[in-house]
């Protein structure tokens, strides 16, 4: 009988962690569906990028209000999780505040810090909620934020508030029990915030207080496990993926769009007078597909980008096309990629690691050509993203598919390209007249 | 105008220090040709040894690549690289940020590695080396705002060279709401220059022009022939073309030097 709670705790913890690992495996499997790209070069720069952007959140501060609030929630989240160490140890060993006897007054300092952080987190989360639901800040109101994404964002806020209150209520009842010299409730900790919650519990008997304290304790840890498993389905995945995402981000100058190596091969063959004209077709492998029409055509960093996206909309709010009422929204590009990737990943898993066509594609079924053609390739979205996501690379790869596989560029662009092909300039001028300006006044 | 082509110089057994890559807009577009001429005037005045390719130049392929036609881009690139390498070119300066970006960033992998500079960087260097002098004079106290070209600014992190040059004109440099890394695009990039915009509620160049007008400049300075066209059209649509000129930095300097 004595061991029951430990055993139960162990089971619940194992289930929680087990599902979490399963989700992470799914995630890695899906991301690995992407094509190869080398992002292991220049490691020191990459670590630096990760430390600055993910750990230091240096780009979040570009928007001071949300930036500061976000840092509070983030620091609070991480530090309060240190407390988890004790909670898990207590759970497994059946102890209570197991670290307290070893830490002396430092334990008081820690519990006080955690409480203050919890309080700051609650304030920040409330402001976040107000920004989304009452002030209705524009970047949270775009069409792609309807339905699940809006719901998801709110669910996370509610979750955090509930977790913080459970944590504080747990401390409030605990400290009351300590005051009553309850056996097992050793005198430890300092509770500058939760003491204000104590009046709520003053009228309870000691035995009821113990039940309450246990209920809060259990709900808190179970809540955290549920939250961890909710991540896979949520934009909140960024709390984990921001780290690899900033590590593997593009470090090159933003103007360098990668050259398609398959095209280089073909062009070299065409320009080489000694090349065998049939060489291109003689190989057994099917001809390479140019560009991207579905998620499996993308490289794994683009797929990682999609899962990392926080749906914050900083990219979209800086996008000149979006600002002037065009359909294009770089955030939607990332969200669509993620939704489609989850769908395609499930398809692979259900069908024994093979993809059974489902009559859908990222292009057209999720992202329309109209969106793709509205992009000015200005890089504002890339610059704005706090965690180094590159929506532009996806847009450009999809344009490549539209033009090279489907020849479906807008008519004006076809004219322009025809001009380049024939005259070496995007306008119908004779290349021999390139120097005419020198003779004009 | 006295301009040497590489072919001419090579025939005379000479080799210039730097190639001026004029670009398609700079060669053919009426407005952009004025920028080309202004820059050439400064070059001639400074005694720099340079040449152009003339008819041997061809589109870098930037608009093709940004449209998604990688094949056409690489055909253009390979052909240009062959010409550039045959003349053993090592240094290139260009007045177009799109050419600048493509030559600098996308040609090396295809076999064409050169030291490439935007003309504002180049002019800044000439100035530092004392090879050109800029007097404020005509622009003294004028309010000038600089529109960052995306392919110079965000794409390549060049923000200061054009601004330093404007300050040298004794002008008052004023910044728009969106500037430097947060600069708003003029709407021309990514081959938008060559097509009608998608359906929306405003044209991008109008929005950008409004941002410029908001800071009450006397002159809008640009560093890209396409931005120049877009901003000029924007100013026209606001019926301010007579009071609010849009000028390239090279034009400002040539004017200040009374060239
Ligand atoms: S690069 Fe394209 S998608 Fe990104 S901000 Fe510019 S126009 Fe918008
Ligand atoms: S791509 Fe980056 S900036 Fe855009 S919504 Fe996602 S996280 Fe935010």
């Amino acid at each position: 009988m004595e061991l029951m709670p430990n055993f139960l705790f162990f089971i619940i913890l194992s289930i929680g962690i087990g599902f979490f690992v399963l989700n992470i495996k799914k995630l890695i499997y899906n991301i690995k569906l992407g094509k190869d790209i080398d992002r292991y070069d220049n490691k020191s720069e990459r670590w630096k990028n990760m430390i600055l952007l993910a750990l230091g959140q240096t780009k979040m501060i570009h928007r001071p209000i949300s930036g500061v609030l976000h840092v509070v929630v983030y620091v609070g989240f991480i530090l309060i999780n240190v407390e988890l160490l004790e909670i898990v140890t207590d759970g497994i060993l059946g102890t209570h505040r197991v670290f307290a006897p070893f830490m002396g007054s430092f334990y008081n300092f820690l519990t006080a810090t955690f409480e203050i952080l919890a309080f700051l987190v609650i304030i920040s989360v409330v402001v976040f909620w107000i920004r989304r639901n009452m002030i209705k800040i524009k970047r949270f109101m775009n069409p792609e934020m309807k339905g699940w994404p809006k719901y998801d964002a709110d669910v996370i806020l509610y979750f955090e508030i509930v977790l913080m209150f459970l944590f504080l209520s747990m401390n409030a009842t605990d400290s009351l029990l300590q005051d009553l010299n309850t056996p097992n409730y050793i005198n430890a900790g300092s509770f500058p915030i939760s003491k204000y919650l104590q009046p709520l519990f003053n009228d309870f008997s000691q035995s009821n207080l113990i039940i309450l304290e246990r209920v809060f304790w259990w709900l808190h840890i179970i809540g955290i496990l549920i939250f961890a498993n909710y991540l896979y389905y949520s934009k909140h995945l960024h709390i984990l993926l921001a780290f690899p995402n900033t590590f593997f981000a593009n470090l090159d100058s933003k103007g360098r769009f990668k050259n398609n190596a398959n095209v280089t091969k073909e062009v070299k063959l065409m320009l080489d007078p000694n090349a065998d004209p049939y060489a291109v077709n003689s190989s057994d492998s099917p001809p390479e597909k140019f560009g991207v029409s579905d998620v499996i055509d993308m490289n794994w960093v683009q797929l990682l980008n999609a899962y990392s996206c926080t749906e914050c909309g900083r990219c979209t709010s800086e996008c000149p096309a979006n600002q002037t009422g065009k359909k294009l929204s770089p955030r939607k590009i990332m969200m669509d990629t993620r939704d489609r990737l989850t769908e395609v990943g499930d398809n692979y898993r259900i069908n024994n690691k093979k993809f059974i066509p489902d009559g859908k594609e990222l292009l057209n079924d999720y992202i329309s050509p109209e969106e793709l053609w509205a992009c000015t390739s200005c890089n504002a979205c890339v610059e704005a993203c706090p965690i180094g996501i590159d929506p532009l690379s996806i847009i450009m790869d999809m344009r490549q598919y539209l033009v090279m596989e489907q020849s479906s560029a807008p008519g004006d662009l076809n004219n322009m390209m025809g001009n380049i092909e024939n005259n070496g300039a995007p306008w119908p001028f004779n290349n021999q007249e390139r120097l005419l300006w020198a003779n004009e006044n | 105008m006295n301009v040497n082509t590489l072919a001419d110089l090579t025939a005379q057994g000479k080799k210039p220090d730097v190639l001026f890559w004029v670009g398609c807009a700079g060669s053919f577009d009426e407005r952009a040709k004025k920028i080309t001429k202004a820059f050439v005037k400064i070059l001639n005045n400074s005694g720099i040894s340079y040449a152009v390719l003339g008819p041997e130049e061809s589109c870098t392929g930037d608009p093709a690549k940004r449209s998604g036609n990688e094949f056409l881009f690489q055909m253009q690139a390979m052909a240009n690289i062959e010409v550039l390498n045959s003349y053993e070119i090592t240094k290139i300066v260009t007045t177009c940020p799109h050419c600048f970006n493509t030559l600098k960033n996308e040609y090396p992998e295809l076999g064409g590695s050169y030291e490439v500079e935007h003309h504002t960087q180049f002019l800044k260097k000439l100035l530092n080396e004392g090879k050109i002098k800029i007097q404020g004079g005509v622009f003294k106290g004028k309010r000038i705002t600089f529109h960052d070209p995306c392919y110079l600014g965000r794409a390549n992190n060049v923000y200061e060279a054009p601004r330093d040059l404007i300050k040298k004109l004794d002008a008052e440099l004023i910044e728009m709401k969106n500037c430097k890394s947060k600069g708003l695009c003029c709407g021309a990039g990514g081959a938008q220059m060559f097509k009608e915009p998608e359906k929306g509620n405003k044209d991008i160049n109008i929005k950008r022009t409004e941002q410029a007008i908001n800071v009450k400049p006397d002159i809008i300075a640009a560093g890209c022939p396409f931005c120049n066209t877009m901003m000029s059209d924007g100013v026209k649509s606001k019926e301010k073309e007579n009071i609010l000129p849009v000028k390239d930095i090279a034009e400002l300097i040539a004017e200040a030097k009374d060239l």
Side-chain angles (χ1 to χ4, degrees):
Chain A
M1 203 51 214
E2 268 285 274
L3 270 178
M4 263 309 279
N6 312 24
F7 189 62
L8 192 62
F9 179 82
F10 190 74
I11 301 269
I12 290 177
L13 189 68
S14 305
I15 294 176
I17 293 179
F19 269 109
F20 183 71
V21 170
L22 226 64
N23 281 335
I24 296 287
K25 277 196 172 152
K26 266 201 237 173
L27 196 66
I28 292 175
Y29 178 84
N30 289 1
I31 290 171
K32 281 195 170 160
L33 289 174
K35 295 207 154 59
D36 227 11
I37 180 173
D38 180 24
R39 287 285 169 84
Y40 286 95
D41 57 327
N42 212 343
K43 291 243 173 65
S44 60
E45 261 308 294
R46 297 194 174 283
W47 282 111
K48 206 175 114 197
N49 210 36
M50 188 177 97
I51 289 168
L52 283 178
L53 293 186
L55 201 63
Q57 306 199 356
T58 42
K59 271 203 174 171
M60 288 298 291
I61 295 300
H62 288 275
R63 308 242 172 145
I65 301 176
S66 58
V68 168
L69 294 172
H70 187 267
V71 169
V72 169
V73 174
Y74 162 76
V75 172
F77 180 84
I78 291 189
L79 287 184
I80 294 170
N81 277 342
V82 173
E83 167 104 9
L84 260 189
L85 274 181
E86 187 180 49
I87 293 182
V88 170
T89 317
D90 279 345
I92 293 173
L93 300 179
T95 48
H96 188 71
R97 296 199 180 269
V98 63
F99 294 161
F102 306 105
M103 291 185 157
S105 61
F106 187 60
Y107 190 83
N108 291 351
F109 171 75
L110 278 184
T111 47
T113 312
F114 294 154
E115 287 219 334
I116 291 167
L117 278 170
F119 177 68
L120 290 176
V121 168
I122 290 173
I123 304 243
S124 305
V125 169
V126 168
V127 178
F128 279 149
W129 188 88
I130 292 173
R131 283 162 59 88
R132 278 182 189 267
N133 294 287
M134 293 172 74
I135 308 177
K136 297 193 191 261
I137 290 189
K138 210 171 138 229
R139 70 185 150 104
F140 301 132
M141 296 296 133
N142 298 63
E144 70 264 24
M145 295 309 285
K146 296 233 162 68
W148 167 250
K150 157 99 177 74
Y151 182 72
D152 176 32
D154 285 337
V155 162
I156 292 160
L157 297 179
Y158 299 141
F159 237 110
E160 294 192 34
I161 291 247
V162 169
L163 284 179
M164 289 304 123
F165 270 108
L166 285 172
F167 173 72
L168 291 173
S169 308
M170 178 181 92
N171 279 353
T173 45
D174 190 309
S175 56
L176 279 174
L177 287 164
Q178 289 181 22
D179 295 345
L180 295 170
N181 287 323
T182 317
N184 278 335
Y185 287 86
I186 65 163
N187 239 310
S190 156
F191 307 100
I193 303 294
S194 64
K195 69 174 177 206
Y196 296 104
L197 291 181
Q198 281 182 353
L200 288 176
F201 307 110
N202 268 341
D203 298 337
F204 286 89
S205 69
Q206 189 177 22
S207 54
N208 281 342
L209 269 179
I210 295 181
I211 294 176
L212 272 180
E213 192 277 336
R214 285 293 88 192
V215 167
F216 292 142
W217 189 93
W218 279 94
L219 285 179
H220 178 241
I221 182 70
I222 292 173
I224 286 175
L225 289 172
I226 293 177
F227 192 58
N229 280 293
Y230 176 69
L231 291 185
Y232 177 73
Y233 307 94
S234 161
K235 62 142 185 161
H236 222 50
L237 202 47
H238 75 267
I239 61 172
L240 302 176
L241 293 189
F243 292 87
N245 196 73
T246 44
F247 183 86
F248 293 118
N250 178 27
L251 299 177
D252 235 325
S253 72
K254 293 191 194 67
R256 175 178 298 155
F257 295 8
K258 70 175 191 303
N259 294 327
N260 186 321
N262 293 317
V263 174
T264 312
K265 259 185 261 161
E266 284 202 16
V267 169
K268 279 198 171 137
L269 272 175
M270 280 194 63
L271 294 175
D272 181 359
N274 303 319
D276 170 3
Y278 300 105
V280 184
N281 301 323
S282 65
S283 68
D284 296 331
S285 55
E288 274 288 341
K289 173 174 170 181
F290 295 119
V292 164
S293 68
D294 211 344
V295 286
I296 39 168
D297 306 324
M298 292 187 195
N299 65 53
W300 62 267
V301 172
Q302 291 171 321
L303 301 184
L304 171 64
N305 277 184
Y307 273 124
S308 308
C309 175
T310 72
E311 297 174 15
C312 68
R314 283 168 163 75
C315 52
T316 294
S317 72
E318 299 288 336
C319 171
N322 193 276
Q323 283 181 27
T324 53
K326 318 291 191 288
K327 255 193 176 167
L328 171 64
S329 159
R331 168 173 57 191
K332 176 174 176 291
I333 301 283
M334 301 320 298
M335 293 168 67
D336 286 345
T337 303
R338 175 183 178 155
D339 290 348
R340 176 61 182 159
L341 177 56
T342 304
E343 195 173 71
V344 168
D346 287 344
N347 188 318
Y348 270 93
R349 267 188 306 276
I350 293 167
N351 301 307
N352 271 328
K353 316 219 155 171
K354 267 212 214 74
F355 182 74
I356 307 289
D358 56 357
K360 278 201 256 176
E361 266 198 318
L362 182 64
L363 180 66
N364 295 320
D365 295 305
Y366 287 81
I367 299 173
S368 65
E370 179 182 343
E371 292 162 64
L372 298 171
W373 289 118
C375 174
T376 71
S377 73
C378 72
N379 261 309
C381 51
V382 185
E383 178 77 34
C385 181
I387 55 170
I389 290 174
D390 184 353
L392 175 56
S393 76
I394 296 178
I395 297 172
M396 284 297 134
D397 287 350
M398 293 187 80
R399 278 193 185 178
Q400 208 175 89
Y401 176 85
L402 283 173
V403 170
M404 295 186 69
E405 297 284 347
Q406 302 205 311
S407 310
S408 62
D412 291 342
L413 289 188
N414 281 331
N415 290 341
M416 177 271 288
M417 292 187 278
N419 288 329
I420 294 181
E421 230 174 302
N422 299 324
N423 324 313
W427 299 286
F429 290 107
N430 184 340
N431 214 41
Q432 291 310 310
E433 295 171 0
R434 270 206 183 249
L435 207 47
L436 281 190
W437 55 266
N439 305 322
E440 297 165 4
N441 277 316
Chain B
M1 225 172 204
N2 190 10
V3 192
N4 288 316
T5 62
L6 258 180
D8 292 344
L9 284 189
T10 310
Q12 297 163 25
K14 286 191 227 156
K15 204 170 170 257
D17 291 341
V18 58
L19 171 73
F20 170 27
W21 183 277
V22 182
C24 299
S27 303
F28 295 120
D29 180 82
E30 283 311 318
R31 177 68 188 84
K33 282 197 275 189
K34 293 187 185 149
I35 304 170
T36 308
K37 286 184 245 179
F39 185 56
V40 160
K41 280 181 194 161
I42 304 172
L43 289 177
N44 285 347
N45 182 257
S46 70
I48 291 284
S49 122
Y50 76 97
V52 298
L53 277 169
E56 283 188 283
E57 191 183 290
S58 188
C59 174
T60 59
D62 159 87
K65 187 176 178 80
R66 268 85 193 152
S67 299
N69 195 336
E70 182 73 9
F71 188 77
L72 180 55
F73 160 68
Q74 292 201 16
M75 289 293 278
Q76 287 297 117
M78 298 278 193
N80 282 323
I81 288 169
E82 202 176 298
V83 173
L84 291 168
N85 288 354
S86 75
Y87 284 116
E88 295 172 2
I89 294 298
T90 54
K91 275 191 193 172
I92 301 176
V93 60
T94 174
T95 43
C96 173
H98 297 266
C99 298
F100 164 70
N101 177 69
T102 306
L103 293 167
K104 180 177 179 347
N105 291 324
E106 287 161 0
Y107 275 32
E109 208 182 63
L110 302 172
S113 296
Y114 321 101
E115 189 190 315
V116 189
E117 282 183 314
H118 185 245
H119 67 309
T120 55
Q121 295 174 300
F122 186 77
L123 289 172
K124 172 91 197 299
K125 233 166 52 191
L126 291 188
L127 194 73
N128 288 350
E129 289 165 1
K131 291 190 180 141
I132 56 168
K133 293 212 166 35
I134 303 179
Q135 311 90 329
V138 268
F139 297 109
K140 198 166 168 59
K142 284 251 158 53
R143 290 167 66 83
I144 302 183
T145 189
F146 179 67
H147 163 76
D148 288 279
C150 303
Y151 276 88
L152 186 64
R154 268 189 300 271
N156 288 293
N157 290 318
V158 180
Y159 298 112
E160 292 313 322
R163 289 182 166 77
D164 289 347
L165 290 170
I166 291 174
K167 286 183 209 148
K168 283 279 178 233
L169 296 169
D170 287 338
E172 187 190 343
L173 175 67
I174 45 175
E175 298 290 359
M176 288 181 244
K177 175 166 156 251
N178 286 96
C179 65
K180 298 187 184 170
S181 67
K182 293 193 129 234
L184 181 71
C185 175
C186 71
Q192 296 294 342
M193 183 75 190
F194 306 100
K195 63 185 264 298
E196 288 304 314
E198 272 56 39
K199 216 167 84 265
N201 52 32
K202 196 181 252 188
D203 282 339
I204 297 173
N205 64 327
I206 303 293
K207 176 152 180 113
R208 184 52 165 169
T209 306
E210 286 167 356
Q211 286 192 346
I213 290 174
N214 275 344
V215 296
K216 302 193 173 61
D218 298 313
I219 297 166
I220 298 176
C224 168
F226 297 107
C227 298
N228 197 309
T229 302
M230 289 308 237
M231 298 303 282
S232 301
D233 287 351
V235 169
K236 243 177 252 156
S237 85
K238 299 278 171 193
E239 296 176 350
K240 286 192 186 297
E241 66 268 32
N242 294 326
I243 47 168
L244 181 52
V246 179
K247 297 216 160 167
D248 192 272
I249 305 261
E251 294 179 298
L252 295 177
I253 293 177
E255 243 176 84
K257 292 170 73 66
D258 197 20
L259 295 172

